[in-house]
Amino acid sequence: MQRWLLKSEPDVFGYPDLERVGHEPWNGVRNYQARNNLRAMHLGDLCLFYHSNAKPNGVAGVARVSREAHPDNLQFDPASPYHDPKSPPGDPRWSMVEVEPVRAFPRLLTLDDLRALPEWADSPLTRKGTRLSVLPVTDTEFRAALRAVGLDADTL
């Protein structure tokens, strides 16, 4: 099982929204590296759900991949800001997964909190300038994040 970090702006779609709806397509990703990360996800993989462009930024909970990568529906929708007229329907350029909530964190684990964890020292997230919206996370990083808020990865 792999671990991931998914970024979302909480004023657009936050972890409480995921809990409310029960499952959600992770669509609209328009970066090739992030898209490749979506394509590498497997059913059951766990994801840290990260609130970005917030004050403060941080991990709000854990989500699970409930459907593996398939064509992103928004790329074919002319009314969508994520429409890609150059994406051929026979060989779609963009992919999405679907996720479901697993556990909300008892408190937001802020970016500053993550930077203070030695296990996160080499993570692209804690380096300045990283803007990728879908990142792989090591099992060590994942477990350290959960421990920092008093949760145990083995009980998820």
Side-chain angles (χ1 to χ4, degrees):
M1 182 178 302
Q2 295 175 286
R3 308 285 191 236
W4 305 94
L5 184 137
L6 301 172
K7 291 183 183 179
S8 183
E9 296 178 13
D11 60 329
V12 176
F13 189 84
Y15 195 82
D17 298 309
L18 182 61
E19 289 182 308
R20 180 177 46 78
V21 300
H23 64 89
E24 183 74 5
W26 207 264
N27 54 14
V29 173
R30 295 296 179 265
N31 171 286
Y32 287 104
Q33 189 175 353
R35 180 218 49 200
N36 292 344
N37 287 337
L38 289 173
R39 289 179 176 178
M41 290 180 175
H42 298 286
L43 194 63
D45 282 357
L46 295 176
C47 310
L48 296 173
F49 193 109
Y50 185 86
H51 286 172
S52 64
N53 291 328
K55 295 200 186 308
N57 294 335
V59 180
V62 178
R64 178 183 297 114
V65 176
S66 58
R67 185 175 175 195
E68 292 184 1
H70 54 286
D72 183 331
N73 59 323
L74 298 179
Q75 68 191 313
F76 304 119
D77 180 358
S80 170
Y82 301 105
H83 178 241
D84 183 352
K86 295 182 181 177
S87 182
D91 186 21
R93 183 177 292 173
W94 305 110
S95 298
M96 65 180 185
V97 297
E98 291 184 23
V99 297
E100 62 189 11
V102 173
R103 178 82 188 263
F105 276 15
R107 68 172 178 84
L108 188 72
L109 182 63
T110 68
L111 180 56
D112 287 341
D113 293 336
L114 289 171
R115 285 187 174 129
L117 297 173
E119 296 90 344
W120 281 78
D122 295 327
S123 170
L125 179 69
T126 58
R127 288 187 229 130
K128 297 270 187 211
T130 298
R131 299 189 42 83
L132 206 57
S133 62
V134 181
L135 299 166
V137 174
T138 68
D139 189 61
T140 300
E141 292 164 343
F142 185 85
R143 289 175 178 278
L146 269 66
R147 269 194 315 273
V149 295
L151 299 177
D152 181 357
D154 293 326
T155 62
L156 293 180

